Amino acid sequence: MQTDTPAQAPVKRTVLDYDDVCQLAPFFKGKEKLVNRLFKLLAVDKVNWIHDHNFDTPGVPFTQGLLRDLNITIDIRGEEVLKNLPKEGGFITVSNHPFGALDGIMLIKIVGEYRPDFKVMVNMVLNHITAMRPNFIAVDALASTDPAKRAVSMQGISTALRHVKEGHPLGFFPAGAVSKIQSNLRIEDRLWQPTIIRLIQKLKVPVVPIYFHGHNSTFFNILGLIDWRLRTLKLPSEVFRRHDETFRVSVGELITPEQQAQYPDIESLGEMLRNATYSLRKW
């Protein structure tokens, strides 16, 4: 049975409720009707419903049920790469992060159906989706100076290293944040974080690049230009906006440890992995 830590939400059937909001923003105490209206406006009520509906089948089955409830299908290009991966042993996946939520859900479904022991490193906000915790390793993507959050990140990094060394697969979104409008006017990841690339270099296991085609709405990305917190509030409605859609996902050829060793410094290795992932967008 899971126990709570200071930075980890309790295991519960809702993702976010009135008490959570009051804890985060005491202004809302005594304003439950206002919170409920905000939940409807931001689609948090729908998030809570779909989480509760699939809560009793955590992990990979949860992602399958969630996508089924949304009537979302996935068109996978290069799935033979996943089919040919060994049933035992560690490997890493690296992916772009265009959706901020759906891509993580799809990644766990895609890889987890072949390797149920697959875990993904996520930020502590997503860790509120408690039914997916069997496939999560939480860290603080904002690199907060808060001692409790730093402790969670250090524990997460230690857990990630141990997970792979013990022969299990691990997924990274190396940007550590959802894609946004860049100076070239394309919606792409920010610089892939050196901390993640350093972990990959240290682990010396095969890497599978996985590219998610598409991006969130124009309005979502405009909000990101104003304030990242506004964009985060829009994430739940972005998920439910995409119901009844087919998403295209491309899986690239495995990059061996020997190939990775040709890029001895963090900058060149990170650039190679990012280019290998983004080269898949032409598929």
Side-chain angles (χ1 to χ4, degrees):
M1 183 175 179
Q2 265 179 300
T3 58
D4 304 339
T5 68
Q8 178 167 289
V11 176
K12 56 183 181 178
R13 301 190 74 93
T14 56
V15 174
L16 195 69
D17 59 26
Y18 169 71
D19 291 334
D20 294 327
V21 172
C22 291
Q23 186 176 359
L24 293 168
F27 164 81
F28 287 104
K29 286 184 179 179
K31 300 181 178 69
E32 190 166 359
K33 288 184 179 179
L34 174 60
V35 171
N36 288 336
R37 284 198 291 270
L38 287 173
F39 276 9
K40 288 185 182 298
L41 177 66
L42 300 172
V44 176
D45 58 334
K46 293 179 180 179
V47 170
N48 285 336
W49 177 86
I50 207 166
H51 185 268
D52 177 74
H53 189 236
N54 296 286
F55 182 82
D56 296 318
T57 54
V60 175
F62 174 87
T63 64
Q64 295 167 331
L66 186 151
L67 294 172
R68 187 167 52 247
D69 284 344
L70 292 171
N71 195 31
I72 286 175
T73 54
I74 308 173
D75 175 18
I76 306 175
R77 311 291 174 88
E79 190 173 10
E80 63 275 5
V81 175
L82 298 177
K83 291 179 180 178
N84 292 329
L85 285 171
K87 301 302 180 187
E88 297 179 350
F91 64 86
I92 287 168
T93 69
V94 292
S95 309
N96 62 320
H97 205 11
F99 305 120
L102 272 176
D103 36 24
I105 293 164
M106 290 189 285
L107 181 63
I108 289 172
K109 179 188 183 297
I110 290 167
V111 182
E113 287 181 343
Y114 292 98
R115 289 289 298 269
D117 54 337
F118 179 63
K119 290 183 182 286
V120 178
M121 183 173 280
V122 301
N123 65 54
M124 289 188 290
V125 174
L126 289 180
N127 207 38
H128 280 265
I129 309 174
T130 56
M132 290 179 68
R133 280 192 194 159
N135 297 93
F136 279 171
I137 295 175
V139 295
D140 176 27
L142 297 176
S144 169
T145 56
D146 182 301
K149 292 181 179 179
R150 285 180 63 86
V152 169
S153 288
M154 293 302 295
Q155 182 182 356
I157 291 170
S158 175
T159 301
L161 288 168
R162 186 169 62 253
H163 183 73
V164 177
K165 288 178 178 178
E166 290 177 352
H168 307 291
L170 178 66
F172 287 119
F173 290 100
V178 65
S179 303
K180 62 180 182 179
I181 300 172
Q182 302 294 340
S183 57
N184 60 5
L185 300 183
R186 279 185 160 179
I187 298 173
E188 297 179 338
D189 283 359
R190 67 178 183 178
L191 176 72
W192 280 15
Q193 299 303 290
T195 303
I196 300 301
I197 305 304
R198 194 171 289 109
L199 283 176
I200 294 171
Q201 186 183 55
K202 186 174 184 177
L203 285 166
K204 294 181 173 59
V205 295
V207 174
V208 181
I210 299 178
Y211 183 80
F212 292 89
H213 297 260
H215 53 76
N216 285 328
S217 68
T218 301
F219 183 52
F220 175 89
N221 284 286
I222 290 172
L223 287 177
L225 295 174
I226 301 169
D227 193 301
W228 66 268
R229 287 164 289 198
L230 292 174
R231 185 179 64 178
T232 301
L233 289 172
K234 186 74 170 57
L235 266 179
S237 60
E238 286 293 310
V239 172
F240 286 90
R241 185 180 68 85
R242 308 302 293 270
H243 63 82
D244 304 318
E245 286 193 31
T246 296
F247 287 81
R248 187 153 51 100
V249 179
S250 296
V251 182
E253 291 297 326
L254 181 146
I255 303 169
T256 66
E258 291 74 25
Q259 290 171 305
Q260 296 169 48
Q262 297 174 27
Y263 303 86
D265 59 273
I266 299 300
E267 292 77 13
S268 62
L269 177 60
E271 184 177 6
M272 183 274 288
L273 294 174
R274 194 179 195 278
N275 288 341
T277 303
Y278 271 90
S279 69
L280 300 171
R281 63 180 160 197
K282 64 181 181 290
W283 287 21

